[in-house]
Amino acid sequence: EVQLVESGGGLVQPGGSLRLSCATSGFLFAKSAMSWVRQAPGKELEWVSTISTGGTMTYNPDVVKRRFTISRDNIKNILYLQLDSLQPEDTAMYYCAKASGSAALRPESVRGQGTQVTVSS
């Protein structure tokens, strides 16, 4: 059974940082492209970042480029998302997904239960 368990969210002030983690099991993590997506209250699911199987290629939309960094540990089977220069508009539930790019937004994509990030002064 595929399991994705996110952690690391919390309340942070504008300009602050957080590091999200996604512990995975039940599939060949090292052979799976992985992504982060987020959903703010009242808004649609939004793609945040994707990383290739080996971790050498990463992709981010312009809205988070140079602020969010995705990485992975293929030994520990953990996916990470470093969030820097956080802004109130980054407030959302963040999910890791066993998918690449826009495929992570599909209803059938496998995602975890999410971790809440709240940016507020």
Side-chain angles (χ1 to χ4, degrees):
E1 179 187 4
V2 174
Q3 288 196 329
L4 307 172
V5 181
E6 301 94 335
S7 62
L11 173 63
V12 63
Q13 292 187 342
S17 297
L18 284 172
R19 189 193 196 199
L20 308 184
S21 298
C22 174
T24 74
S25 61
F27 65 103
L28 293 175
F29 178 76
K31 294 189 178 297
S32 298
M34 298 292 294
S35 298
W36 287 94
V37 298
R38 67 184 181 184
Q39 188 163 29
K43 295 190 176 181
E44 293 186 350
L45 202 60
E46 177 184 27
W47 169 65
V48 171
S49 194
T50 291
I51 188 166
S52 62
T53 55
T56 57
M57 301 294 290
T58 62
Y59 309 90
N60 303 89
D62 288 344
V63 68
V64 303
K65 198 163 288 186
R66 287 182 289 277
R67 297 192 302 120
F68 293 4
T69 304
I70 190 171
S71 62
R72 64 191 298 159
D73 185 328
N74 283 351
I75 302 299
K76 297 181 179 179
N77 295 339
I78 299 176
L79 180 71
Y80 300 101
L81 186 66
Q82 178 68 37
L83 312 175
D84 295 316
S85 302
L86 282 163
Q87 301 301 317
E89 52 266 33
D90 295 317
T91 295
M93 186 72 79
Y94 284 71
Y95 303 90
C96 65
K98 182 180 173 295
S100 178
S102 60
L105 302 176
R106 296 175 185 164
E108 64 271 22
S109 72
V110 178
R111 297 191 286 266
Q113 85 291 342
T115 187
Q116 178 68 39
V117 172
T118 302
V119 186
S120 175
S121 55

